[in-house]
Amino acid sequence: MTADDAALAEVIAAFAAGHGPVAVDAERASGYRYGQRAYLVQLRREGAGSVLIDPVGCPDLAALGEAIGDTEWVLHAATQDLPCLRDIGMVPTRLFDTELAGRLAGFARVGLGAMVENVLGFALEKGHSAVDWSTRPLPEPWLRYAALDVELLVDLRDALEEELERQGKLEWARQEFAAIAAAPPPPPRKDPWRRTSGMHKVRRRRQMAVVRELWTARDQVAQRRDVSPGKVLGDGAIVEAALNLPANSHALAALPGFGHRMGRRQLEQWQAAVDRARALPENELPQPGQPLNGPPPPRSWADKDPAAAARLSAARAAVTALAERLNLPQENLITPDTVRRLCWEPPAEPAHEAVAEVLAGYGARAWQIELVAPLLTEALRSNGG
């Protein structure tokens, strides 16, 4: 495994001299460590062979990224790996996503193992996908498993390109890949504490404040210790504390998730967070629900705007029928959020050009607009758009 600058320099030279696409994969320690950093990067290129790089020993791979920057990178489920690759200096300008290609081609199962088996006829060794990749030294079987993930990626890419060409979908895929490569990093999530599992049980603002305080305290501890937040305190425990508003650490200890194995100092730390929430003035308590950025939930449309509900129903039916005819998932034909936004606030004059312009504004690609704009225009026109 490449783990120092001298070895990395040899890898960069070899991959710069190689030819054809570069297969790229990364392993994270999700569920074990804080954040989503890469703990192993695997690459393969014709003429250079396969290599495993340790980003702990080689934290800056910008020079490698530049050496292969102009070639096509082949990744499986690219949007999962690109953020952690970007953090270590590796940013592709062109890519081919074999998972997305599989979706567009109509495969029912698009995991890497299933795709390699269905398309190439090989069975990939499985069993190490959920291990702690921050472990050092990494066991030999794990490294062999990781190397296999890039061994057949370029062969899979070539077979999928042929299949997409045969189905007349290759240009669609190219537009999708270009959009992924050009997309900026997503902005930080607003109020991430609201995504605590079980949050739907928490109704009162004072209880929401407890979730916020405990989530924030847990996040700080997890970051400091570099462990997954769930290993510090479970979401279920946070929700229990919010619902019960314990008055002291003794009452807190009686709640599920704050059991007998938790030390007194830890209990006092969590109780301090609960106490902070209990002491907040009314005007500093969180508001229920996130401020809506876009239309309300569709279940409420029939009451709020029956015409919009009719438009959405017609649009969904048309998109479903077309997706089935084209043998691809509806969400890849056009995102449900885009359809909802268009139906909630249609253009004043629902002509094809106006609808196409709205779709483009929401990030739809040219191939998507060409296929769905006529259907959505008709759905708007026939339902009072």
Side-chain angles (χ1 to χ4, degrees):
M1 185 164 71
T2 302
D4 60 56
D5 290 344
L8 180 60
E10 291 180 20
V11 167
I12 292 170
F15 273 77
H19 52 90
V22 181
V24 183
D25 190 28
E27 305 294 348
R28 299 174 297 283
S30 305
Y32 296 95
R33 295 287 181 174
Y34 185 85
Q36 292 295 314
R37 65 171 290 190
Y39 282 95
L40 187 68
V41 176
Q42 309 100 284
L43 300 101
R44 179 175 177 79
R45 190 179 196 187
E46 198 69 37
S50 297
V51 67
L52 303 178
I53 300 175
D54 179 6
V56 177
C58 303
D60 183 359
L61 299 185
L64 174 60
E66 286 171 21
I68 58 173
D70 291 337
T71 194
E72 179 187 84
W73 296 19
V74 184
L75 302 105
H76 191 79
T79 52
Q80 291 181 23
D81 286 342
L82 288 178
C84 70
L85 290 169
R86 183 185 283 116
D87 288 346
I88 51 178
M90 295 186 66
V91 184
T93 53
R94 289 190 296 134
L95 62 86
F96 189 107
D97 184 335
T98 50
E99 187 206 46
L100 183 49
R103 290 181 188 281
L104 294 173
F107 285 89
R109 294 164 62 224
V110 292
L112 182 59
M115 294 285 290
V116 166
E117 196 166 336
N118 289 339
V119 177
L120 301 177
F122 292 102
L124 282 184
E125 180 190 340
K126 282 295 160 193
H128 299 300
S129 57
V131 298
D132 179 2
W133 290 99
S134 69
T135 301
R136 292 295 183 274
L138 281 165
E140 195 62 36
W142 297 13
L143 295 173
R144 280 201 305 274
Y145 162 86
L148 285 173
D149 277 355
V150 290
E151 196 72 22
L152 297 167
L153 259 187
V154 173
D155 292 341
L156 180 60
R157 172 232 177 276
D158 292 345
L160 286 169
E161 184 176 64
E162 275 186 34
E163 180 60 22
L164 289 167
E165 178 79 81
R166 188 185 69 78
Q167 293 186 25
K169 298 175 178 176
L170 185 56
E171 177 53 31
W172 305 356
R174 285 177 176 150
Q175 290 182 32
E176 292 299 301
F177 302 156
I180 293 172
R189 184 169 274 139
K190 189 176 187 300
D191 290 350
W193 58 270
R194 291 185 185 271
R195 295 178 66 86
T196 302
S197 181
M199 190 71 194
H200 62 281
K201 302 176 194 169
V202 181
R203 305 284 184 181
R204 288 165 29 212
R205 292 174 63 204
R206 183 73 57 192
Q207 295 172 332
M208 289 178 189
V210 172
V211 173
R212 182 176 65 186
E213 291 294 332
L214 279 171
W215 189 98
T216 303
R218 176 184 72 173
D219 197 63
Q220 289 166 351
V221 172
Q223 193 165 7
R224 188 172 70 246
R225 287 170 44 193
D226 189 20
V227 296
S228 167
K231 288 193 176 300
V232 175
L233 185 68
D235 280 10
I238 290 178
V239 169
E240 285 294 331
L243 296 177
N244 288 277
L245 293 169
N248 52 51
S249 56
H250 181 72
L252 182 69
L255 297 177
F258 297 92
H260 59 277
R261 285 183 298 175
M262 190 171 282
R264 186 169 62 86
R265 276 184 59 198
Q266 279 182 294
L267 280 169
E268 287 173 352
Q269 165 185 267
W270 304 132
Q271 184 61 42
V274 174
D275 292 343
R276 285 195 297 274
R278 289 169 63 100
L280 281 174
E282 283 286 327
N283 64 345
E284 290 181 26
L285 296 176
Q287 293 298 326
Q290 288 173 286
L292 274 173
N293 174 24
R299 63 179 177 272
S300 67
W301 286 26
D303 293 329
K304 293 185 175 179
D305 188 340
R311 289 193 293 268
L312 183 62
S313 178
R316 280 174 163 173
V319 168
T320 300
L322 180 58
E324 286 175 1
R325 199 161 71 245
L326 295 171
N327 190 28
L328 74 158
Q330 293 175 48
E331 63 270 20
N332 290 112
L333 177 57
I334 189 76
T335 67
D337 182 64
T338 296
V339 176
R340 284 194 295 270
R341 287 170 184 267
L342 174 71
C343 292
W344 185 252
E345 288 189 89
E349 179 52 49
H352 181 281
E353 295 76 14
V355 170
E357 192 177 328
V358 170
L359 293 176
Y362 289 136
R365 266 68 74 191
W367 73 272
Q368 295 174 313
I369 294 169
E370 184 181 337
L371 287 168
V372 302
L375 303 176
L376 297 177
T377 302
E378 178 56 33
L380 296 181
R381 277 183 178 154
S382 57
N383 291 277

